Amino acid sequence: MKEFSPIQSARLALRPFKESDLDEFVAYRADPDVARYQSWDDYTKEDGIAFFEEMANARFDAPGEYYQIAFELMETNDLIGDCVVHPLAEDPRQVEIGFTLARKFQGKGYAYEALTTLLDYLFVDLKKHRAFAVSDVKNEGSVRLLENLGMRREGHFVQNIWFKGEWGSEYLYAILNKEWSRGRR
């Protein structure tokens, strides 16, 4: 296990959260369009403070633990989103990923760039075997992004989750290190 050190892409810096991120973080998480397919509703400043306290004690790449990574525009230093890394407790060579992006930055390739950078890091530097993500079947943007990353749809779970007052269905996407490496040459 190691501490997360910032990594960069052409336009983004992926880094640990800092206290000055709080207002921007709460603002995009409180947006109903952003929260639509996420586990939260009505995100408050208190929720953000609790999250920041949790992340201050979180360990990157610790089996079974979730670690959230901020991503910012290098040109302006604006926080625009975050992604999560969750190595499985029973096999930390397999890692779940997820992402959230502020609405005004959606559709500009930032999430793709952030996840490409993250997957490069997970597969090349950390030698992870498999990365996977779960998406609500109605979340067309997320589904398109995961497929554009070259992830394979491995499962379609029908009404497998009680989500925001109704039964929801999810897709499971995954990619292996060797598939990512081959596609990146």
Side-chain angles (χ1 to χ4, degrees):
M1 182 174 46
K2 59 187 276 186
E3 192 170 310
F4 183 75
S5 297
I7 52 178
Q8 295 181 347
S9 64
R11 303 178 294 172
L12 303 173
L14 280 68
R15 56 163 177 77
F17 278 94
K18 52 190 179 189
E19 285 184 37
S20 60
D21 293 329
L22 181 62
D23 290 338
E24 288 175 298
F25 176 77
V26 170
Y28 71 74
R29 287 222 166 181
D31 182 332
D33 286 340
V34 172
R36 182 175 179 195
Y37 299 111
Q38 299 286 9
S39 61
W40 62 83
D41 283 310
D42 304 320
Y43 207 84
T44 65
K45 188 162 188 169
E46 290 73 27
D47 293 328
I49 291 168
F51 170 85
F52 275 51
E53 288 172 359
E54 183 182 336
M55 284 302 103
N57 297 312
R59 300 175 305 155
F60 176 69
D61 202 30
E65 292 187 26
Y66 289 86
Y67 187 88
Q68 215 84 17
I69 300 167
F71 56 94
E72 71 178 16
L73 284 175
M74 288 194 303
E75 186 176 304
T76 62
N77 295 326
D78 288 332
L79 176 71
I80 65 168
D82 57 86
C83 46
V84 66
V85 175
H86 172 228
L88 298 183
E90 62 276 7
D91 186 353
R93 297 169 298 179
Q94 298 186 62
V95 61
E96 179 181 11
I97 61 170
F99 56 93
T100 305
L101 184 64
R103 183 171 23 145
K104 70 180 181 180
F105 297 102
Q106 294 177 5
K108 297 174 173 42
Y110 293 125
Y112 179 86
E113 188 172 329
L115 290 179
T116 298
T117 303
L118 179 63
L119 287 168
D120 277 342
Y121 181 71
L122 292 173
F123 286 138
V124 176
D125 296 319
L126 299 184
K127 309 290 188 232
K128 296 296 181 183
H129 171 68
R130 180 175 179 267
F132 67 95
V134 175
S135 175
D136 189 297
V137 299
K138 295 177 186 174
N139 190 343
E140 295 173 5
S142 179
V143 166
R144 190 170 42 255
L145 172 60
L146 296 170
E147 290 175 355
N148 286 342
L149 286 165
M151 296 182 90
R152 158 186 62 264
R153 187 182 305 168
E154 291 187 338
H156 180 181
F157 304 104
V158 178
Q159 295 188 0
N160 66 310
I161 185 170
W162 184 254
F163 185 72
K164 299 191 177 183
E166 64 182 6
W167 285 105
S169 300
E170 297 175 311
Y171 290 138
L172 170 67
Y173 283 90
I175 190 165
L176 300 175
N177 183 321
K178 65 183 179 181
E179 295 167 325
W180 180 258
S181 299
R182 186 176 10 189
R184 306 298 295 161
R185 286 188 201 148

